[in-house]
């Protein structure tokens, strides 16, 4: 039979008092698991020139099921300044995510992308199909006698 904790302590004290060798110590406690790595920041949208359609922050401040809130995503912020957050976007992380996800919707984000080009100029007429002035009338024949 093995020793319980108090029996092991009593036996160790008796050996120590007699000058004999001590039994081996209890096995060490298993080491604590290593700390988890810090959470990675969210990936930027695949196209930095457009809003991320998957972005939303549903909370008690923005009910994503209420159609007036437009899903609590970029459309919710369209035409507004976003840098200072508000409306449930209060932490620095939430504001940074908002700015990264909605560069087009937010009016205070400097969008690094140029505006889309306008329509192309019409092509020039090919030389043989350009409008031509009417030809000169043929000279009139002299009157017959």
């Amino acid at each position: 039979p093995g020793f319980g904790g108090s029996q092991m302590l009593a036996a160790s004290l008796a050996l120590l008092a007699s000058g004999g060798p001590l039994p081996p110590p209890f096995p060490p406690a298993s080491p604590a698991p290593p700390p988890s790595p810090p959470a990675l920041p969210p990936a930027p949208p695949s196209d930095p020139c457009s809003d991320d359609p998957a972005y939303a922050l549903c909370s008690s401040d923005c009910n994503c099921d209420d159609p007036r809130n437009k899903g609590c995503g970029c459309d919710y912020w369209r035409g507004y300044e976003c840098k200072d957050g508000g409306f449930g976007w209060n932490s620095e992380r939430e504001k940074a995510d908002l700015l990264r996800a909605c560069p087009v919707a937010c009016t205070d984000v400097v969008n690094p992308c140029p505006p889309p080009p306008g329509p192309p100029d019409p092509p020039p007429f090919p030389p043989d199909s350009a409008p031509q002035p009417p030809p000169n009338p043929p000279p009139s024949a002299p009157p017959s006698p």
Side-chain angles (χ1 to χ4, degrees):
F3 287 107
S6 60
Q7 291 173 332
M8 182 78 148
L9 179 60
S12 296
L13 290 175
L15 283 173
L16 182 62
S18 69
L22 293 177
F26 288 110
S30 58
S36 299
L40 297 174
S46 58
D47 177 5
C49 299
S50 64
D51 292 337
D52 180 356
Y55 173 77
L57 179 65
C58 302
S59 67
S60 59
D61 294 304
C62 188
N63 177 354
C64 289
D65 295 327
D66 185 337
R68 294 173 296 174
N69 293 338
K70 303 175 184 174
C72 303
C74 295
D75 284 343
Y76 182 74
W77 285 92
R78 190 160 312 285
Y80 291 97
E81 294 182 355
C82 302
K83 287 184 180 177
D84 292 331
F87 308 106
W89 283 258
N90 299 314
S91 74
E92 292 305 311
R93 174 65 180 265
E94 290 166 341
K95 291 185 270 188
D97 289 347
L98 172 63
L99 294 171
R100 186 179 304 108
C102 306
V104 176
C106 297
T107 60
D108 55 349
V109 174
V110 177
N111 192 331
C113 305
D121 292 333
F125 289 109
D128 56 348
S129 68
Q132 300 292 325
N136 290 335
S140 34
S144 346

